[in-house]
Amino acid sequence: MAGRHFSTLSLLLLLVAFSYTQATPDVPKTTEKKIEVVVVEATVYCQSCDHFGTWSMIGAKPISSAKVSVTCKSYNGHVSYYKVFETDKNGYLYAPLEGFKMQHYVLDHPLHSCYVKPVWSPLESCSLLSNVNYGLNGAPLRYENKRLHGSKYEAVIYAAGPLAFRPSECSQTHY
């Protein structure tokens, strides 16, 4: 008799509990897609004549409005991204690679596929390309654990290191 009393009581409790519940449709929450951007940063300088022929940036001055190209090639060698950017008043380049796409997650990664080159200097007195940080062939990117986060935005920043032009009137003193 105690078993029957328990099952009747359980049934009554379940009926009372279900009468106070409300069915809600299973609607997925709308989530806005987070924008993810690859960014390249670098600084462009006018290298001092005292360090012509070296990679030293001692005495170098930043160049504002310098033009810098970012080129990315797919794993099969085709150019998949190319754009020329301009440095700010401090010679700093912050270049969001809008439209950059990877066909192959590993082989087309920016660390493997992208490089940065100085293109043009607005300074007539400092407009010759130098090979600081392999600028002549393209400075490779490196990841320095820099990210910008927002509620709807994330930027992964890769650094190209310093790039430089040099004055034309320097005489080579380094051998």
Side-chain angles (χ1 to χ4, degrees), residues 87-158:
T87 61
D88 69 7
K89 65 180 181 162
N90 299 311
Y92 177 71
L93 173 74
Y94 182 88
L97 305 187
E98 294 172 359
F100 173 75
K101 301 230 185 303
M102 294 187 294
Q103 292 176 354
H104 191 280
Y105 180 73
V106 174
L107 299 176
D108 286 347
H109 194 278
L111 290 174
H112 304 293
S113 67
C114 300
Y115 56 90
V116 181
K117 288 184 176 183
V119 175
W120 178 79
S121 169
L123 304 176
E124 286 184 32
S125 63
C126 190
S127 59
L128 295 179
L129 293 171
S130 80
N131 201 32
V132 170
N133 200 26
Y134 300 110
L136 293 177
N137 294 323
L141 300 180
R142 60 184 184 268
Y143 181 62
E144 296 178 338
N145 205 25
K146 289 175 79 174
R147 292 175 175 239
L148 290 177
H149 296 277
S151 61
K152 299 175 188 165
Y153 181 84
E154 180 177 9
V156 179
I157 303 171
Y158 297 94

